[in-house]
Amino acid sequence: DIDDVGHKYYLELELEDVLDKGRTVSCTAEVLYHLGSKSSAPDVQATVQGELRSTQEADQEFYNRIRSLEKELVAENIPDSHGNVPPELEPIHLLAWAASGYVIWQNSTENTKFHLAQVKHVKQVKRTDEDLQFDYVLLLHEMVSQEVAPWEVTVLWHPQRGARV
Amino acid sequence: ANMKLILIFSALIGASLCLETFVGHQVLRIKTKNEEEVKQLQLLESLEHLELDFWINPSAPALPVDVRIPAVSVQSVKAFLESQGIEYSILIEDLQDVLDKEQQDMAESAQRQRSSTFDFGTYHTLDEINNELDHLASEYSFVEKIQIGESYEKRPLYVLKFSTGGSNRPAIWLDAGIHSREWVTQASAMWIANKIASDYGTDASITSLLDKMDLFLLPVANPDGFVYTHTSNRMWRKTRSKIPGSICVGVDPNRNWDAGFGGPGASNKPCSDSYHGPSANSEVEVKSVVDFIKNHGNFKAFLTLHSYSQLLMYPYGYKCTRPDDYAELESLGRAAASSIRSLYGTTFQVGTICKTIYQASGGSIDWSYDNGIKYSFAFELRDTGRYGFLLPANQIVPTATETWLGLKKIMEHV
């Protein structure tokens, strides 16, 4: 408790690579939830101890594949009702996860717990610059209220520049 | 000469089997760039001796042209297209291969239908589930399908009664799918039903359990919601009852029980996914279970399945104080979680609802506990958020199997 400021949490986390189970890396973080204000995101400082796996090759492959599509990519319901994700859409799914992380951070309080429930819709938007653009409709599930709400999220991505929401 | 012989031979076989054969037939997709090319294809179309079968006829440059070409003509048609600079790709290399595979698939499916095995490793519709309940009841003498009521939209609420005799023996209650979007729960309940039925007589633990007690299993506690998740909205949670004075539909059936009803952790707004309803037991799906259990009068355990989060919880949810039987329930919960973990390493957190998940009033296990049913537990099954409600079907059986170990642990103790 920090008087007149808010609540600060000190965290020691272990991150597991979903695509390479068994590979973990430690992380420390400080999260400050501001007093009272519902409109400001918590402050977060995080340090990763160790190295994250390089995904350069896969990133470049995905980038090239999408850039060479004649028609813009459009997809919906990822995963589908039965939990399936077609292999070629897996990177789109993973990008949605990253983007939802940002949205969740911006909307979290000490009394919320969000997860990405589903990518309802995604549409690629071709750009004249080097970024890939995807316009998503993401369904976020909030545990405490149990609400599943749609969010329109535009994501720019580039193999070297990373994701911007 | 050999080609001719093969052709005659297969034609004869085909004739004798009354089958037309498509060996070597290719389906091409042609992308025309302009009107000129469309005209060329229309010309090709007019050459009847080639016996070309256009699946999409040439009409306008923007649209693809799909055409099936008999084996004998494949090379010459491709040569023609290439000489004209017309782009094409091969959609199907050998049509007969595709047809053979299709026949195989259909035969296998028919085989499955005949032996009427319900695939426990996939998600099913309400009708498929109800058919399987009938199948289980007819196959096993100690399994009976009973109807305990009707949903808001008048669908029957079916419970499987497992009883090897006696009269009103002490009983265990197990339900799933009270929140319709939690699909792994209805699916697991079906696997569990089949497991209990088929293992009675061979598995020592199930046999001694059913020789002393009865088990009542409600696999789809919210059939209206369940159908809605199939037809309209996969993320639907509540019942489908009309709420007077609101355009929104449905009540959260796990906030509707008479236990701290209307208290913290439930919403009084009809449009909310945790709306508690106009009054306790307003939902017929809830009232039917309450009446059934009260009339029976001899239930010793009340177990309910939810997803997701991997939690094993006991009362209370409506208040944050410990139940009188805290020590015993905590210890039993831990033992059950341990059994679950022993199979695939899946970890479940154990504790009261309030401490483990959140304060929530009007919940089913709080009601059952306050009504004298000591062993009241709520499970939240896989996973912890990666797929959430959309758990891949290949995880159904592992989930059901590990969950069953936990349930068994509790039942053995009852």
Side-chain angles (χ1 to χ4, degrees):
Chain A
D1 278 4
I2 304 179
D3 283 345
D4 298 334
V5 177
H7 299 143
K8 198 169 203 191
Y9 294 82
Y10 297 86
L11 306 168
E12 281 173 24
L13 307 170
E14 198 172 84
L15 306 180
E16 180 186 61
D17 189 340
V18 152
L19 299 180
D20 190 5
K21 295 234 161 140
R23 191 190 181 103
T24 60
V25 84
S26 299
C27 171
T28 54
E30 280 176 24
V31 180
L32 171 63
Y33 289 100
H34 295 278
L35 253 190
S37 89
K38 296 229 171 100
S39 55
S40 116
D43 293 340
V44 176
Q45 309 258 40
T47 325
V48 176
Q49 274 96 35
E51 272 183 28
L52 297 176
R53 175 174 66 94
S54 165
T55 54
Q56 226 180 359
E57 214 180 291
D59 286 347
Q60 198 60 46
E61 212 180 280
F62 170 66
Y63 181 75
N64 292 339
R65 174 161 67 89
I66 302 295
R67 289 280 280 195
S68 66
L69 288 177
E70 267 183 36
K71 261 186 17 177
E72 280 123 335
L73 182 147
V74 175
E76 48 182 29
N77 296 334
I78 308 168
D80 66 16
S81 287
H82 295 223
N84 298 318
V85 179
E88 67 274 12
L89 290 180
E90 187 59 28
I92 301 288
H93 187 213
L94 294 171
L95 186 59
W97 263 101
S100 68
Y102 176 80
V103 178
I104 290 170
W105 167 36
Q106 293 297 301
N107 290 278
S108 288
T109 70
E110 281 164 288
N111 298 307
T112 59
K113 187 170 183 195
F114 286 98
H115 287 282
L116 173 65
Q118 189 183 41
V119 175
K120 192 72 194 145
H121 195 265
V122 59
K123 185 180 57 135
Q124 179 196 359
V125 177
K126 285 204 176 181
R127 294 174 66 86
T128 50
D129 63 21
E130 303 227 314
D131 285 330
L132 296 183
Q133 177 178 338
F134 297 98
D135 288 353
Y136 284 96
V137 173
L138 301 180
L139 294 181
L140 293 188
H141 172 225
E142 201 289 296
M143 226 21 122
V144 179
S145 64
Q146 284 297 331
E147 302 296 336
V148 173
W151 288 79
E152 286 178 359
V153 184
T154 297
V155 184
L156 298 181
W157 184 79
H158 182 274
Q160 278 80 53
R161 285 197 284 278
R164 281 135 288 148
V165 174
Chain B
N2 269 333
M3 260 308 281
K4 261 209 174 142
L5 256 169
I6 291 168
L7 277 175
I8 294 170
F9 192 63
S10 34
L12 281 174
I13 301 225
S16 65
L17 294 173
C18 302
L19 281 172
E20 208 190 330
T21 169
F22 296 94
V23 176
H25 289 220
Q26 286 199 355
V27 179
L28 301 185
R29 168 156 289 182
I30 305 170
K31 297 241 177 75
T32 47
K33 296 190 279 291
N34 49 50
E35 277 294 346
E36 175 65 43
E37 292 187 357
V38 174
K39 287 211 169 66
Q40 301 270 37
L41 292 181
Q42 284 168 342
L43 181 70
L44 205 59
E45 203 179 0
S46 66
L47 302 173
E48 285 180 10
H49 70 278
L50 289 175
E51 291 186 38
L52 299 179
D53 173 17
F54 283 82
W55 290 4
I56 304 179
N57 298 83
S59 56
L63 300 167
V65 173
D66 290 349
V67 56
R68 174 177 65 79
I69 309 172
V72 283
S73 310
V74 172
Q75 289 319 312
S76 42
V77 171
K78 282 180 173 173
F80 171 74
L81 294 173
E82 282 159 26
S83 73
Q84 302 298 311
I86 301 177
E87 271 178 44
Y88 69 89
S89 59
I90 302 174
L91 272 189
I92 301 175
E93 280 260 13
D94 187 320
L95 186 57
Q96 193 57 44
D97 283 347
V98 172
L99 293 173
D100 288 345
K101 175 83 180 31
E102 187 179 52
Q103 283 288 75
Q104 204 187 345
D105 284 348
M106 283 165 59
E108 278 167 26
S109 172
Q111 232 274 328
R112 266 181 270 126
Q113 234 97 295
R114 270 197 302 278
S115 47
S116 58
T117 35
F118 181 88
D119 185 353
F120 294 98
T122 182
Y123 292 108
H124 289 278
T125 62
L126 183 65
D127 287 340
E128 288 165 358
I129 288 175
N130 284 338
N131 284 337
E132 179 61 12
L133 295 182
D134 284 331
H135 175 246
L136 288 171
S138 69
E139 180 124 348
Y140 299 95
S141 58
F142 57 95
V143 179
E144 193 192 336
K145 185 183 88 167
I146 55 182
Q147 181 173 345
I148 64 166
E150 261 181 0
S151 69
Y152 182 83
E153 288 172 347
K154 304 272 177 277
R155 293 186 175 85
L157 296 169
Y158 287 132
V159 165
L160 279 188
K161 175 183 179 181
F162 296 80
S163 179
T164 59
S167 156
N168 205 238
R169 282 180 175 168
I172 295 169
W173 173 267
L174 176 61
D175 69 64
I178 195 171
H179 289 139
S180 40
R181 62 189 178 199
E182 299 167 8
W183 277 21
V184 73
T185 67
Q186 299 94 336
S188 295
M190 293 311 290
W191 183 92
I192 288 167
N194 178 251
K195 175 79 176 159
I196 297 172
S198 54
D199 273 16
Y200 175 75
T202 50
D203 177 289
S205 166
I206 293 181
T207 308
S208 83
L209 180 80
L210 284 183
D211 280 345
K212 291 185 314 242
M213 305 183 70
D214 290 345
L215 182 86
F216 292 85
L217 169 56
L218 173 61
V220 186
N222 178 8
D224 294 348
F226 187 58
V227 169
Y228 200 71
T229 59
H230 278 273
T231 59
S232 308
N233 180 353
R234 175 67 177 80
M235 295 292 167
W236 189 259
R237 163 184 168 91
K238 304 189 287 183
T239 60
R240 293 292 303 163
S241 56
K242 307 260 175 299
I243 302 162
S246 176
I247 49 162
C248 286
V249 173
V251 168
D252 183 340
N254 207 28
R255 301 286 184 280
N256 189 246
W257 299 70
D258 196 4
F261 177 82
S267 173
N268 60 4
K269 296 187 179 31
C271 298
S272 166
D273 254 339
S274 53
Y275 174 52
H276 51 55
S279 59
N281 299 325
S282 63
E283 301 314 283
V284 64
E285 294 83 355
V286 170
K287 182 103 187 18
S288 304
V289 175
V290 168
D291 289 345
F292 181 76
I293 291 186
K294 277 190 162 154
N295 291 336
H296 183 280
N298 204 12
F299 274 94
K300 299 297 174 205
F302 185 97
L303 311 167
T304 182
L305 302 182
H306 290 259
S307 79
Y308 55 93
S309 286
Q310 292 171 206
L311 310 169
L312 216 177
M313 300 173 290
Y314 49 89
Y316 286 107
Y318 71 85
K319 54 185 179 179
C320 294
T321 52
R322 291 175 171 178
D324 288 342
D325 300 289
Y326 169 76
E328 188 184 356
L329 295 178
E330 171 71 18
S331 151
L332 182 53
R334 283 180 193 260
S338 211
S339 317
I340 293 175
R341 195 174 60 244
S342 72
L343 194 56
Y344 300 111
T346 310
T347 53
F348 273 60
Q349 263 183 277
V350 180
T352 64
I353 295 176
C354 183
K355 272 276 139 90
T356 312
I357 196 169
Y358 40 49
Q359 191 174 10
S361 56
S364 63
I365 68 167
D366 284 356
W367 171 82
S368 60
Y369 185 76
D370 279 349
N371 274 270
I373 302 174
K374 176 159 56 153
Y375 300 103
S376 294
F377 288 91
F379 288 66
E380 290 274 2
L381 307 185
R382 292 196 195 181
D383 58 12
T384 51
R386 176 155 187 222
Y387 287 96
F389 301 120
L390 308 179
L391 195 71
N394 62 18
Q395 288 198 46
I396 295 174
V397 176
T399 301
T401 319
E402 71 192 6
T403 305
W404 172 237
L405 293 181
L407 290 169
K408 248 207 308 187
K409 197 43 141 219
I410 293 172
M411 294 182 191
E412 284 161 7
H413 180 93
V414 171

